[in-house]
């Protein structure tokens, strides 16, 4: 199998796996944060900051995967 | 450490990306400088919209559905379309865009480390290794 064929199979698969992992992580993080805010409304501001930074970091991983796919896409003829 | 932490991170990242522009443009390549600036601005706008969406959604007293819809429309399709076009047009090197996008996380890390080392806020929980009064680190 030529490497471009392998790349054309692997790139969408890897992006899908990255998106799935990111969505799963975001869902868990936001769910846990909402749960914590419901239990302790007085600590909502602190929990919000942690949640926002966590969401940004999780999103960034998917964006890195997307950029990598874009870069490698150029190698497929 | 409240929501003003994120505001300070956004301001610091924007200022750092503006400061690096002339240096990278003069000593390396102006396209790299502009790419870092645009990548950082994209990350800053992304974080700003993320904060606005979370605050708007969790603000139980004055939640406005229209505002939330507008924020979601701006963040998800439009911002990602801009990112896609930045990558697709290849006016700027991809590496510079990635470096610019990563800059905001470096700022978050350094600001959090600074607060931790200077003991500015509640990182010191009782019994943790950073708590000098408690039993956590001194035993």
């Amino acid at each position: 199998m030529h490497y471009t064929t392998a790349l054309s199979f692997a790139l969408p698969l890897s992006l899908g796996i990255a998106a799935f992992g990111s969505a799963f992580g975001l869902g868990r993080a936001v769910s846990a944060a909402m749960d914590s805010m419901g239990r302790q409304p007085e600590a909502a501001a602190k929990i919000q900051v942690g949640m926002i930074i966590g969401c940004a970091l999780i999103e960034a991983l998917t964006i890195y995967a997307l950029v990598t796919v874009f870069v490698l896409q150029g190698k497929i003829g | 450490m409240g929501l003003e932490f994120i505001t300070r991170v956004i301001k610091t990242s924007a200022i750092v990306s503006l400061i690096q522009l002339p240096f990278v443009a003069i000593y390396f390549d102006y396209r790299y400088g502009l790419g870092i600036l645009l990548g950082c601005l994209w990350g800053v706008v992304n974080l700003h919209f993320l904060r606005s969406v979370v605050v708007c959604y969790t603000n139980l007293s004055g939640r406005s559905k229209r505002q939330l819809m507008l924020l979601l429309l701006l963040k998800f399709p439009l911002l990602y379309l801009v990112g896609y076009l930045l990558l697709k047009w290849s006016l700027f090197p991809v590496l510079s865009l990635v470096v610019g996008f990563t800059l905001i996380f470096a700022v978050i890390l350094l600001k959090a480390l600074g607060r931790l080392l200077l003991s500015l806020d509640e990182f010191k929980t009782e019994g943790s290794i950073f708590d000098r009064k408690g039993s956590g680190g001194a035993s």
Side-chain angles (χ1 to χ4, degrees), chain B residues 104-133:
Chain B
I104 194 161
F105 299 113
V107 169
I108 288 175
L109 182 72
L110 290 176
K111 274 197 175 289
L113 267 180
R115 292 182 77 86
L116 177 69
L117 293 176
L118 294 174
S119 309
L120 285 180
D121 53 14
E122 64 280 352
F123 281 112
K124 289 193 305 178
T125 53
E126 199 162 328
S128 78
I129 57 169
F130 301 109
D131 183 22
R132 289 180 190 141
K133 290 175 195 165

Side-chain angles (χ1 to χ4, degrees), chain A residues 3-77:
Chain A
Y3 84 96
T4 53
T5 316
L7 263 184
S8 58
F9 275 113
L11 286 182
L13 264 179
S14 57
L15 190 58
I17 291 169
F20 175 78
S22 174
F24 190 70
L26 269 175
R28 280 185 62 101
V30 173
S31 153
M34 292 292 168
D35 194 23
S36 309
M37 275 192 258
R39 283 173 199 267
Q40 287 182 303
E42 68 276 2
K46 291 175 195 167
I47 297 168
Q48 268 182 355
V49 174
M51 181 177 76
I52 291 169
I53 292 174
C55 288
L57 286 168
I58 294 169
E59 260 191 39
L61 287 180
T62 322
I63 292 166
Y64 289 141
L66 184 67
V67 170
T68 310
V69 166
F70 260 97
V71 172
L72 290 177
Q73 209 179 20
K75 295 193 184 300
I76 301 174

Side-chain angles (χ1 to χ4, degrees), chain B residues 16-82:
Chain B
V16 168
S17 69
L18 278 175
I19 289 173
Q20 62 78 32
L21 177 62
F23 292 100
V24 176
I26 289 170
Y27 291 111
F28 198 60
D29 188 3
Y30 78 95
R31 289 190 309 136
Y32 274 87
L34 280 176
I36 293 174
L37 178 71
L38 281 176
C40 187
L41 283 183
W42 195 91
V44 160
V45 173
N46 189 29
L47 187 63
H48 174 74
F49 278 131
L50 189 64
R51 182 191 58 179
S52 305
V53 166
V54 169
V55 169
C56 184
Y57 190 73
T58 52
N59 186 11
L60 295 173
S61 57
R63 186 190 294 175
S64 156
K65 273 189 181 172
R66 186 177 295 175
Q67 193 185 1
L68 188 62
M69 284 295 161
L70 182 69
L71 283 170
L72 287 175
L73 186 74
L74 280 175
K75 178 172 164 34
F76 289 108
L78 284 184
L79 193 65
Y80 289 155
L81 182 69
V82 169

